Amino acid sequence: QVQLVESGGGLVQAGGSLRLSCAASGRTFSRLVMGWFRQSPGKEREFVASINRSGGSTYYADSVKGRFTISRDNVKNTMYLQMNSLKPEDTAVYYCATRSGVDYRRSYEYEYDYWGRGTQVTVSS
């Protein structure tokens, strides 16, 4: 079992920045591939970014590439998502998730085993 708790969401104006955090417990964090997903009202949950176990390799959705940065701290058992140049279309509930294995270039929900409850990000125009 892995417990995940997201934080850092909020209301920000377009062009602004936010940093999300995902605190993990229950399993050796450094053995887990981690990812961020998001879901807007009326839409399916979509992949945002993922990171390998060491933090040395990352993978992004085209819609956030160049604006968002995923990172992790294996000492603090925490993953981050730095979001810059935010747009109204980034408004969503953001979820962190984990998967076992080595391959971090995974973007489908079913490929992830454990999920947090999400944190709301709202970007006003």
Side-chain angles (χ1 to χ4, degrees):
Q1 288 281 347
V2 179
Q3 291 77 45
L4 302 171
V5 179
E6 302 95 337
S7 62
L11 173 63
V12 63
Q13 288 189 332
S17 298
L18 280 176
R19 189 176 83 154
L20 306 183
S21 299
C22 172
S25 61
R27 192 173 287 185
T28 303
F29 183 72
S30 61
R31 297 182 63 85
L32 299 171
V33 168
M34 302 292 296
W36 287 100
F37 286 73
R38 66 186 182 186
Q39 187 169 22
S40 304
K43 295 186 178 180
E44 293 187 354
R45 196 176 299 187
E46 65 174 357
F47 172 77
V48 175
S50 59
I51 189 166
N52 74 340
R53 295 186 294 184
S54 70
S57 296
T58 57
Y59 181 52
Y60 295 93
D62 288 342
S63 58
V64 306
K65 203 173 293 183
R67 300 188 298 122
F68 290 10
T69 302
I70 188 172
S71 61
R72 65 190 295 163
D73 185 331
N74 285 350
V75 174
K76 295 182 177 180
N77 290 353
T78 302
M79 175 180 64
Y80 305 98
L81 185 68
Q82 178 66 45
M83 305 186 295
N84 298 329
S85 302
L86 282 161
K87 305 175 182 180
E89 50 263 43
D90 294 318
T91 295
V93 177
Y94 283 71
Y95 299 89
C96 64
T98 75
R99 65 182 305 274
S100 302
V102 178
D103 193 353
Y104 65 97
R105 297 175 67 89
R106 298 292 183 183
S107 58
Y108 292 98
E109 282 188 73
Y110 71 84
E111 295 176 306
Y112 289 77
D113 306 308
Y114 296 98
W115 294 80
R117 293 188 175 185
T119 185
Q120 175 71 48
V121 172
T122 303
V123 184
S124 63
S125 57

